[in-house]
Amino acid sequence: EVQLVESGGGLVQPGGSLRLSCAASGFTFSSYWMSWIRQAPGKGLEWVANIKQDGSDKNFLDSVKGRFTISRDNAKNSLYLQMNSLRVEDTAVYYCARDTPNKKGHGYWGQGTLVTVST
Amino acid sequence: QSVLTQPPSVSGAPGQRVTISCTGSSSNIGAGYGVHWYQQLPGTAPKLLIYDDSNRPSGVPDRFSGSKSGSSASLAITGLQAEDEADYYCQSYDRSLSWVFGGGTKLTVL
């Protein structure tokens, strides 16, 4: 059974940093692109970043470029999102999701972890 | 402002048919990229409902169907049931922005 479990969310002040983790199991992690997708309270879904199977290609939402970094450790079946210079508007539930091959959407999602940026 | 445009809400009585539209542009849906639909029940993660315009993952009832024409797509739900009450999102790939979503549509079963 495919499982994605996020951790690392919490309350942080504006300008602060946070590192999210996603532990994957039930599939060959190293064979899939992986994404982070977020949802602000009461709002819609917003793709944040994704990373290629071997980490050699990464893409980011314009508003997080230069502030967020995505990485993965295939030996540990883990995905990460390093978030720096956090802003109030980054407050959201952050989901880890597995990209489906050939851009057929995201077939599996974690339960999400809440990041709150506030004073 | 989402890249893909959906109506904020739709509603229907049990047993009825409802449709949810999703309008994009020549850089995403109109460029030939597939449209995917997600169902998000309250307090849960989104679930893939339709992929590549009209395909259902295993386990999704055939009451749910998708279609695409030009730069627009639609999700249809027939035989509406109370448990279908949820938020629905369309998604596609965009040449310049990577993955993009619609703003979401809240389905109310009357």
Side-chain angles (χ1 to χ4, degrees):
Chain A
E1 178 195 4
V2 172
Q3 281 200 320
L4 298 168
V5 180
E6 302 92 338
S7 60
L11 175 64
V12 61
Q13 291 188 340
S17 298
L18 214 53
R19 188 196 196 209
L20 305 184
S21 299
C22 171
S25 61
F27 66 101
T28 304
F29 181 72
S30 59
S31 296
Y32 292 86
W33 279 79
M34 296 294 297
S35 284
W36 287 100
I37 297 167
R38 68 185 180 185
Q39 185 170 34
K43 303 296 184 183
L45 300 170
E46 182 176 53
W47 171 84
V48 174
N50 66 356
I51 184 169
K52 192 176 179 179
Q53 291 91 328
D54 61 359
S56 62
D57 192 9
K58 306 171 186 180
N59 301 290
F60 295 92
L61 179 69
D62 279 351
S63 63
V64 308
K65 282 179 182 175
R67 301 188 298 122
F68 289 12
T69 302
I70 189 172
S71 61
R72 64 192 296 162
D73 185 336
N74 288 340
K76 294 183 178 180
N77 291 335
S78 292
L79 176 71
Y80 306 101
L81 186 68
Q82 177 66 43
M83 304 184 294
N84 299 329
S85 302
L86 281 161
R87 304 169 180 168
V88 170
E89 54 265 34
D90 294 319
T91 295
V93 173
Y94 284 73
Y95 294 102
C96 162
R98 191 182 88 174
D99 286 35
T100 303
N102 299 318
K103 299 181 175 60
K104 296 184 190 298
H106 295 85
Y108 293 93
W109 299 59
Q111 84 289 350
T113 187
L114 177 62
V115 171
T116 303
V117 185
S118 174
T119 55
Chain B
Q1 198 81 345
S2 300
V3 175
L4 306 180
T5 301
Q6 297 179 235
S9 63
V10 297
S11 62
Q16 283 190 334
R17 178 181 187 269
V18 297
T19 61
I20 299 172
S21 61
C22 174
T23 302
S25 68
S26 58
S27 65
N28 40 70
I29 299 175
Y33 292 110
V35 178
H36 322 297
W37 291 91
Y38 298 86
Q39 178 192 58
Q40 186 175 34
L41 298 170
T44 69
K47 168 191 169 185
L48 183 63
L49 203 60
I50 297 287
Y51 67 93
D52 253 9
D53 306 336
S54 59
N55 298 281
R56 284 185 306 275
S58 172
V60 174
D62 59 7
R63 301 186 298 105
F64 296 90
S65 63
S67 62
K68 185 176 83 174
S69 178
S71 296
S72 295
S74 288
L75 172 70
I77 309 172
T78 58
L80 206 56
Q81 299 179 4
E83 57 260 38
D84 297 332
E85 190 159 288
D87 294 324
Y88 292 83
Y89 294 90
C90 63
Q91 178 199 41
S92 187
Y93 193 83
D94 189 281
R95 285 176 176 152
S96 59
L97 303 173
S98 196
W99 292 106
V100 291
F101 287 94
T105 299
K106 181 176 180 59
L107 169 63
T108 300
V109 180
L110 301 171

